[in-house]
Amino acid sequence: MSSTQKSNEHATQAPGAAKVDLKLEVVVIPVSDVDRAKRFYSGLGWRLDADFSQGEEFRAVQLTPPGSPCSIHFGKGLTTAAPGSFKNLYLVVSDIDAARKVLISHGADVSEAFHYGGIRGPRLSGRDPEGRSYRTYASFSDPDGNGWLLQEIKERLPGRV
């Protein structure tokens, strides 16, 4: 028997409401050219899940990185954010060196690995010197300049699946 118990004692819920498992599944990113963005992300090996239009004013494209439970959406009529305005979108990987090699092999310009000096410290070259999970990064951008941070997570925080 486990000594771990789940408790909802501080959770608030409307009377009669069902419990809902909330997960981030889709991130909408702003792009200036839908077809170019589709070629870029498909070229990285991301699976094309959907590409549909409804008239001239709406188009939605959904792609999913290999092994990810989350997807990205972009298109026409999905967001009013400016193309290239999203910075530090996270792409979690278990091996940053392997992820860099895969992305580079597909034509992405990926930074060298880096870490931060302290919680709000400067960006420093190389992997986290103590080898801690959550502390090593690399970055790349899509053609519009939306910025992605690869974050190496080898061990999940307690309570995370």
Side-chain angles (χ1 to χ4, degrees):
M1 183 166 172
S2 172
S3 62
T4 304
Q5 294 180 341
K6 293 184 179 181
S7 170
N8 289 328
E9 91 182 82
H10 298 293
T12 57
Q13 186 172 333
K19 292 182 183 177
V20 177
D21 186 16
L22 300 176
K23 294 180 183 174
L24 174 65
E25 293 188 3
V26 177
V27 176
V28 178
I29 60 173
V31 299
S32 61
D33 183 324
V34 177
D35 289 317
R36 180 184 66 184
K38 180 181 168 184
R39 282 190 306 276
F40 175 79
Y41 287 108
S42 293
L44 295 181
W46 296 21
R47 183 185 71 233
L48 178 63
D49 298 322
D51 184 350
F52 62 92
S53 300
Q54 190 171 20
E56 292 292 318
E57 298 304 313
F58 183 83
R59 181 173 176 198
V61 175
Q62 178 178 327
L63 290 114
T64 303
S68 177
C70 303
S71 302
I72 61 167
H73 272 190
F74 53 83
K76 185 175 181 183
L78 293 177
T79 180
T80 58
S85 62
F86 284 23
K87 304 297 178 208
N88 296 340
L89 294 164
Y90 281 81
L91 183 59
V92 174
V93 299
S94 59
D95 182 336
I96 207 152
D97 297 321
R100 285 186 70 254
K101 286 178 186 174
V102 168
L103 289 168
I104 290 169
S105 75
H106 287 285
D109 184 16
V110 185
S111 78
E112 294 292 329
F114 63 89
H115 66 283
Y116 291 101
I119 292 175
R120 300 217 187 264
R123 183 187 276 199
L124 303 172
S125 294
R127 303 175 63 81
D128 177 66
E130 296 177 28
R132 297 170 292 187
S133 189
Y134 289 83
R135 301 287 178 103
T136 299
Y137 305 88
S139 63
F140 71 97
S141 297
D142 71 12
D144 281 300
N146 294 303
W148 287 90
L149 273 179
L150 299 176
Q151 182 180 29
E152 185 175 78
I153 298 181
K154 294 181 177 282
E155 184 178 319
R156 301 293 289 174
L157 291 172
R160 301 254 175 113
V161 177

